[in-house]
Amino acid sequence: MTPNETARVQTYLQRKFNNSAFRLVRRPQAPDSVEVLLGDEFIGVVYRDEDEGELSFSFTMCMLEEDLPTNY
């Protein structure tokens, strides 16, 4: 992802979730994606996809079972 795309997606996430703690960080070994941090915690990855001239970004969020509430 380009720096401009990264900044645009970061701003989108911050506005969509009303939370300025979202940060996107480059992944040197994977130029088509960035890590998503909430504060200092890794929560997922945004992937860039271009298909037939259409550009999209996919956010995959990771949740460990051990982090989920146990009262359910």
Side-chain angles (χ1 to χ4, degrees):
M1 290 178 56
T2 68
N4 183 51
E5 290 168 337
T6 300
R8 291 174 62 209
V9 173
Q10 177 175 291
T11 298
Y12 173 82
L13 291 173
Q14 290 173 342
R15 289 179 180 169
K16 180 59 78 174
F17 293 101
N18 194 29
N19 191 331
S20 62
F22 277 96
R23 290 187 307 120
L24 274 55
V25 179
R26 295 188 69 213
R27 303 170 72 201
Q29 277 68 10
D32 65 336
S33 61
V34 292
E35 291 184 358
V36 179
L37 304 175
L38 188 54
D40 292 328
E41 183 179 358
F42 171 83
I43 62 167
V45 178
V46 170
Y47 296 94
R48 180 187 192 275
D49 183 45
E50 191 167 359
D51 185 34
E52 297 182 10
E54 296 284 325
L55 181 60
S56 65
F57 300 90
S58 175
F59 173 40
T60 302
M61 184 171 171
C62 303
M63 293 171 276
L64 299 176
E65 191 277 334
E66 64 192 42
D67 292 335
L68 298 176
T70 59
N71 302 0
Y72 294 89

